[in-house]
Structures are given as structure tokens and as C-alpha cells.
């Protein structure tokens, strides 16, 4: 007599769909990385020191010698002009931390352990980038408080200010995927840190973050005005109300429509580099 398999009871758990499982696994990995950050608070503390130093140095050391077009003789105009650039620099420099963290997990063999678990492959990377986004948000809160102490303030209301910080966090999240790809492409965390910073300096300084593009040579003006970093900086200045009334806006499309340019650049970077990072992760652990 052939045995008949028992029918599944109504309480038998069903298999989760791909998207549901990916989201759940990513949140679990994000929680793991956040717990790790809490247990090693030095990482967060040292991550706060550098942007605070930039605020103080540029405000009080260089601020007196840099004039913002359209601001007249207002001594405090550069501080307000500067802060969006410092905020943007802070969120993009999280790239190095993301790359180093992923490289360290690869180097220690933790990724091989994750592979033995029933989780989606992209969850390891997505969880890491989400955790870095939370840390970046915390850093921005502290930095905004320090900026207010040296004379910065948003002038267009709470909603516009939140929209500006939202663009900053989106840019930071996009750049962490670049860091993830770098972390998967090198052999040591030290190399990931160096590789994550070396290209960020020209990206942030050949921009309108610290000086107006009108002060640059002609060929650098075009680079600065089409720089995705510049688009986010200018969008935040407009949303925060930190542009002087007479500030000459360049004719380049990203400078004329900085909020849209910032969104498009950030989404494009996420799509491209997330795809490349997940593909690299699968080939590196396959």
C-alpha cells in the first residue's frame, strides 16, 4: 500500500517571496552592523571629529579671506555658504568607512559564514549601507548643532531644511555603494580606506562646496558645475536659504535645477554601483 503524504496544515509557514526575504535579511544585517558600531563607539566619535574640525577651520581660519559673490561685506555670509559643502563632504566621506568595513568582513572570513546562512546575497551589502546611512544621519545631527553654534541657520522653514538633509542622506547612501564596490575589489581594509578617500578629495574640492566656480579656470568651472557633489551642495543652499541675494547662478543645467540634478545623480549612482557591487560580491564569494 502506497503511503499518502499528509496534507499541509493551515498553520504551515509559507515560503517568503524574494523581495520580502531580501528586505528582512537586509534589516537583520543592518542591525548586526549597528550593534557593532555601538560596541565600538570610537569609530563614531572619530567620524565626528573630522567634520567638526573642518567647520571650525574653514569658518575662522579661511572664512575671512574668501568672499562670496553677491554677499557684499557681510562677514558671516561665507559661514552659511560653507555649511552645505561641509555637510555634503561629511556624507560622502562615509564611503571610506563602508569600503573598509566590507573589506574587513571579507578579510576575516565573515562573508563566507554569511554564505552558509539562508539569506539573499545582496543582503550583506544592503545591510552594511543601511547601517552606514544611520551613522551618517547621526553625524549630520551633531554637525548641524556645531554649525548653528558658529552662526549657521536655515532660513526657509523646517520642511525645506528636512528636504535638504534628505538630499544629503541620499547622496551619502549612493556613495556608500561606491565604497562597497571598492571594499570588494581590494584585499585589505587599509587599501579600502585609501582607495575610498583618494578620489574623494578631487571630487569634493573641484566643486562649488568651498569656493564659487567663478573663481576657477574655465575648464574646471565646467567640471565643478556638472559634478554630482556640486548639485547637492547648491540644492541644499537653496533649500536652507544660504545663498546671498546677489549670488550669480551659473548657466549649467545642474546649477539651474540643482534639486532635480541631485536626485537624478544620486539615483543613477545607486542603480549603477549597487548592480556592480552585488555582481562583484557574487563573483567574489561564488
Amino acid at each position: 500500500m502506497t503511503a499518502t503524504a499528509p496534507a499541509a496544515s493551515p498553520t504551515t509557514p509559507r515560503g517568503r517571496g524574494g523581495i520580502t526575504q531580501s528586505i528582512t535579511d537586509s534589516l537583520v544585517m543592518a542591525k548586526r552592523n549597528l550593534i557593532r558600531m555601538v560596541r565600538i563607539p570610537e569609530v563614531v566619535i572619530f567620524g565626528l571629529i573630522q567634520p567638526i574640525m573642518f567647520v571650525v577651520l574653514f569658518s575662522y581660519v579661511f572664512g575671512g579671506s574668501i568672499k562670496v559673490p553677491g554677499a557684499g561685506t557681510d562677514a558671516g555670509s561665507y559661514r552659511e555658504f560653507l555649511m552645505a559643502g561641509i555637510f555634503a563632504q561629511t556624507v560622502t566621506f562615509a564611503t571610506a568607512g563602508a569600503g573598509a568595513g566590507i573589506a574587513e568582513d571579507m578579510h576575516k572570513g565573515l562573508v563566507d559564514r554569511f554564505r552558509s546562512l539562508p539569506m539573499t546575497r545582496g543582503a550583506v551589502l544592503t545591510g552594511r549601507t543601511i547601517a552606514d546611512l544611520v551613522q551618517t544621519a547621526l553625524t549630520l545631527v551633531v554637525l548641524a548643532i556645531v554649525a548653528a553654534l558658529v552662526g549657521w541657520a536655515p532660513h526657509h522653514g523646517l520642511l525645506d531644511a528636512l528636504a535638504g538633509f534628505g538630499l544629503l542622506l541620499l547622496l551619502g547612501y549612493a556613495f556608500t555603494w561606491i565604497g562597497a564596490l571598492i571594499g570588494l575589489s581590494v584585499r585589505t581594509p587599509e587599501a579600502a580606506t585609501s582607495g575610498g578617500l583618494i578620489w574623494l578629495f578631487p571630487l569634493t574640492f573641484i566643486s562649488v562646496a568651498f569656493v564659487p566656480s567663478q573663481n576657477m579656470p574655465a575648464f574646471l568651472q565646467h567640471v565643478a558645475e556638472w559634478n554630482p557633489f556640486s548639485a547637492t551642495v547648491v540644492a541644499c543652499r537653496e533649500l536652507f536659504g544660504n545663498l546671498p541675494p546677489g549670488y550669480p547662478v551659473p548657466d549649467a543645467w545642474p546649477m539651474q535645477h540643482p534639486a532635480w540634478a541631485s536626485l537624478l545623480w544620486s539615483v543613477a549612482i545607486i542603480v549603477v554601483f549597487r548592480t556592480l557591487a552585488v555582481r562583484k560580491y557574487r563573483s567574489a564569494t561564488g
Side-chain angles (χ1 to χ4, degrees):
M1 183 174 66
T2 304
T4 304
S9 65
T11 59
T12 300
R14 298 176 180 271
R16 293 178 296 174
I19 295 178
T20 301
Q21 183 174 359
S22 178
I23 293 173
T24 303
D25 293 343
S26 298
L27 292 176
V28 169
M29 293 305 301
K31 181 180 178 181
R32 174 253 176 190
N33 285 287
L34 288 172
I35 292 174
R36 184 183 180 186
M37 291 176 185
V38 172
R39 291 177 177 173
I40 312 175
E42 303 94 289
V43 176
V44 179
I45 293 172
F46 291 148
L48 290 171
I49 292 175
Q50 178 178 307
I52 291 174
M53 288 176 60
F54 271 107
V55 169
V56 175
L57 287 174
F58 275 89
S59 297
Y60 295 107
V61 177
F62 303 111
S65 60
I66 300 177
K67 302 299 181 184
V68 180
T73 59
D74 184 6
S77 61
Y78 182 69
R79 294 178 190 172
E80 293 206 337
F81 180 86
L82 167 72
M83 288 310 160
I86 295 292
F87 293 154
Q89 185 188 55
T90 300
V91 301
T92 54
F93 270 40
T95 300
I102 291 172
E104 183 179 9
D105 287 345
M106 295 282 290
H107 185 66
K108 290 182 176 179
L110 289 176
V111 172
D112 291 331
R113 298 180 187 178
F114 295 146
R115 287 182 60 207
S116 66
L117 301 175
M119 66 165 59
T120 54
R121 291 290 180 91
V124 175
L125 302 180
T126 303
R128 175 73 206 198
T129 56
I130 292 174
D132 288 328
L133 181 64
V134 173
Q135 181 179 350
T136 300
L138 174 62
T139 303
L140 274 181
V141 170
V142 175
L143 196 57
I145 295 172
V146 175
L149 293 176
V150 300
W152 171 80
H155 302 293
H156 286 172
L158 179 61
L159 291 180
D160 282 354
L162 291 176
F165 284 114
L167 289 177
L168 288 167
L169 290 175
L170 182 63
L171 180 72
Y173 183 71
F175 274 56
T176 55
W177 282 107
I178 302 177
L181 181 60
I182 293 172
L184 291 167
S185 303
V186 298
R187 297 182 179 180
T188 64
E190 294 80 9
T193 301
S194 299
L197 288 175
I198 192 170
W199 62 275
L200 279 174
F201 282 101
L203 182 80
T204 55
F205 283 98
I206 305 177
S207 71
V208 299
F210 306 110
V211 295
S213 60
Q214 294 88 341
N215 297 346
M216 302 178 186
F219 73 97
L220 284 183
Q221 287 185 24
H222 298 296
V223 175
E225 291 163 3
W226 284 89
N227 186 340
F229 186 83
S230 294
T232 301
V233 170
V234 175
C236 289
R237 284 174 181 155
E238 289 188 353
L239 290 167
F240 295 153
N242 292 156
L243 280 176
Y247 183 81
V249 179
D251 293 331
W253 186 86
M255 300 293 96
Q256 294 288 332
H257 307 87
W260 283 109
S262 177
L263 281 172
L264 292 174
W265 272 119
S266 295
V267 171
I269 292 171
I270 292 172
V271 171
V272 172
F273 283 93
R274 188 186 189 280
T275 302
L276 294 175
V278 172
R279 185 178 300 173
K280 182 71 175 178
Y281 175 79
R282 288 174 176 169
S283 65
T285 59

